[in-house]
Amino acid sequence: MRLADGRGTLGYCLNVHPTQTLAEVRAALLGPVRTIARRLCPAEPFAVGLRLSAEAAARPDAATELAAIFAGEGFAAYTMNGFPYGPFHGVPVKEAVYEPDWTTPDRLAYTLDLARIMAALVPPKETATISTVPGGFAPRTRSREAAVAEGLLRAAAGLVRLERETGRRVALALEPEPFCLLETTAEAVAFFGGHLFTPSAAERLAELTGLGPDDAAAALPRHLGLCLDACHMAVMFEEPEATLSALDSAGIPIHKMQISAALRIPRLDADARRRAAAFHDGVYLHQTMARRAGGTVLRALDLPQALERGAAADGEEWRIHVHVPLFAEPAPPLASTADSLERLLSLHRNRPFTSHLEVETYTWSVLPPELGGIDVTAGIEKELRWVLQRLG
């Protein structure tokens, strides 16, 4: 959906549906997406946040089939979730979601496959975006930043060549996430400033593309930037105002925003620990940040590790990487980070900072009964209406 007053395009991410095969993508588009589109904006194009696995993206007929569906249904392509490479539902995902990382040729090839599909779908003079892994899982990539940067520069070179060939621009958006190479705004600023937006990076892009030095330097922020995920930002106890200010000062574009909320426990106690345990599942990682009274933050890769501390953790504020419905109002002592998200949306409403907005609550199938139990299609529609109300 096109938002008023230059506030961008809003849709929702198809990673909430099974999208491992092209047949599953087709079923999602002709099922729930069609239903939501007809309910929310029957008279105008409905923006779709695509998600294709590597298996689906490698199909030679993928772009042609998707283009036919989009034309027939009146859908508009604008963004792609290129983060999960393989299966994302029904099997353990956990830290495997970060594989392959940006040190590997498989991640590069997959991303460029997605870019070619997006170039076939977006209208002329419009930019498509692809959100992606922020380097990789930190324990595996922390000592390999140069290799990650090389992979991203090769991706930027591929996107430069694609724009030459098709006239369509695609921007790659790294999505900071807890326990990844880039997990905070400060780490993103340091990585871009030290590896991507530098004279040597421009020289490398010029070498890969044949661009002149100045043109290569200008191409870097056109094709590389961030995807700001509101859930991830809140889990890391980052404030929207400070995050936007830091990225603006560093000249790092926010090519995309994922609209999401995390589970929050303002003050841990026995009841909160019992109810939080219900959010653990065998599919996704639920990184947990615990802030003590003095401000120290303790980190756990997954929720069970945090809960192992038992009553010793009582009194702390917890932020848990569980994408909860935007409109959810968990009963105390649980809460969500929707208040942080509302501040972020208010900042965007008053001074738009990105063109692509995407609702991304993919956890409906694993939520406990107190937040689940709602039809996914109805839930997504309700989330989109919640966002539209706050964006005016």
Side-chain angles (χ1 to χ4, degrees), residues 1 12 29 31-48 73-76 377 380-381 384-385:
M1 294 170 281
Y12 83 92
L29 291 170
V33 176
R34 172 192 278 169
T35 298
I36 294 167
R38 290 177 177 177
R39 291 175 181 173
L40 281 179
C41 55
E44 63 180 79
F46 181 74
V48 177
E73 297 293 322
F75 296 154
T377 301
I380 294 167
E381 179 188 354
L384 287 167
R385 292 188 185 280

Side-chain angles (χ1 to χ4, degrees), residues 239-257:
E239 301 297 338
E241 297 84 357
T243 292
L244 295 181
S245 177
L247 296 176
D248 184 57
S249 296
I252 300 174
I254 302 171
H255 287 309
K256 175 178 178 177
M257 172 170 55

